[in-house]
Amino acid sequence: MQIAPQHVLIVVDVQNDFCPGGQLAVAGGDEVVPVIHRIARLFEHIILTQDWHTSHHQSFASAHPGKHPFEQIEVSYGMQTLWPDHCVQGTRGAEFHPDLNLTRAELILRKGFRAEIDSYSAFFENDRSTATGLGGYLRERGFARVFLAGLAYDYCVGYSALDARRLGFPAVVIRGACRAINLNGSVARVEKEFAEAGVGLIESFDMLA
């Protein structure tokens, strides 16, 4: 697939807490870093996203006495999976993985900072209506297609790709530059949604060939 100047690479949440040793570690999460570095050379434009939670975020199991990580509760915007405390603002866990070296990224978009609502997507909070502003940014910059990589494939990457399509942007997920949580069949579920929404899937080696 040919990369054009109006295409943008969105690198999603490659943060310490999502990598081995982190509070919500994705298996092999750190393995995406060298792949992303190789792919990034193809792109003129790069955006980074960063989970940025308050210390008592509603999505944390610790905020709900008697509840445990990965249980679900009902909140105002629907069902919410409860997570271990992770990516708390200003902590080491919220920092980008130390090997991630994308200093030429043009935007760092922080999400999930509203204490009462979770945010998987880079475009919308989990109520599906509160915008982060990324869609407007992409339109103002004249970007025509988004490519996504990072963590986790079946949550923040997947939701971002689906919302990009919802906003009218062609979206391609670079599968080999992602790792998944795969909680209760989440990989199969998101890939079914990709097919229905027209999200493209490509392997990293196909891009680098």
Side-chain angles (χ1 to χ4, degrees), residues 14-191:
V14 183
Q15 295 167 259
N16 288 323
D17 267 346
F18 296 129
C19 292
Q23 295 300 307
L24 185 50
V26 180
D30 55 343
E31 296 171 0
V32 305
V33 174
V35 182
I36 289 170
H37 285 163
R38 291 195 294 273
I39 291 166
R41 295 197 294 263
L42 305 175
F43 288 86
E44 184 177 339
H45 305 288
I46 300 171
I47 291 169
L48 307 178
T49 76
Q50 192 174 23
D51 239 15
W52 199 247
H53 293 309
T54 57
S55 58
H56 301 288
H57 199 272
Q58 179 175 251
S59 70
F60 294 167
S62 63
H64 305 274
K67 294 296 183 181
H68 300 93
F70 310 111
E71 291 185 19
Q72 287 196 326
I73 63 169
E74 187 163 2
V75 295
S76 61
Y77 50 87
M79 298 306 295
Q80 170 68 53
T81 299
L82 297 178
W83 304 106
D85 293 23
H86 66 279
C87 296
V88 174
Q89 298 170 7
T91 66
R92 182 184 179 279
E95 295 173 5
F96 293 117
H97 189 281
D99 292 340
L100 188 70
N101 183 20
L102 294 176
T103 53
R104 65 185 180 89
E106 298 163 357
L107 176 71
I108 297 173
L109 181 113
R110 287 175 168 169
K111 59 189 181 64
F113 52 80
R114 294 177 174 87
E116 299 305 317
I117 184 169
D118 206 2
S119 183
Y120 300 154
S121 171
F123 292 91
F124 290 96
E125 307 281 21
N126 281 9
D127 62 358
R128 320 305 299 137
S129 60
T130 302
T132 66
L134 181 58
Y137 175 87
L138 295 180
R139 288 198 176 94
E140 288 284 336
R141 293 289 311 276
F143 293 128
R145 184 185 298 270
V146 300
F147 290 76
L148 300 105
L151 306 171
Y153 172 73
D154 43 342
Y155 281 90
C156 295
V157 174
Y159 277 67
S160 298
L162 291 166
D163 278 343
R165 291 295 302 125
R166 186 155 69 101
L167 292 173
F169 294 101
V172 179
V173 174
I174 307 166
R175 184 66 181 92
C178 303
R179 294 295 183 273
I181 296 174
N182 202 16
L183 180 64
N184 300 323
S186 52
V187 167
R189 187 163 55 249
V190 80
E191 289 184 342

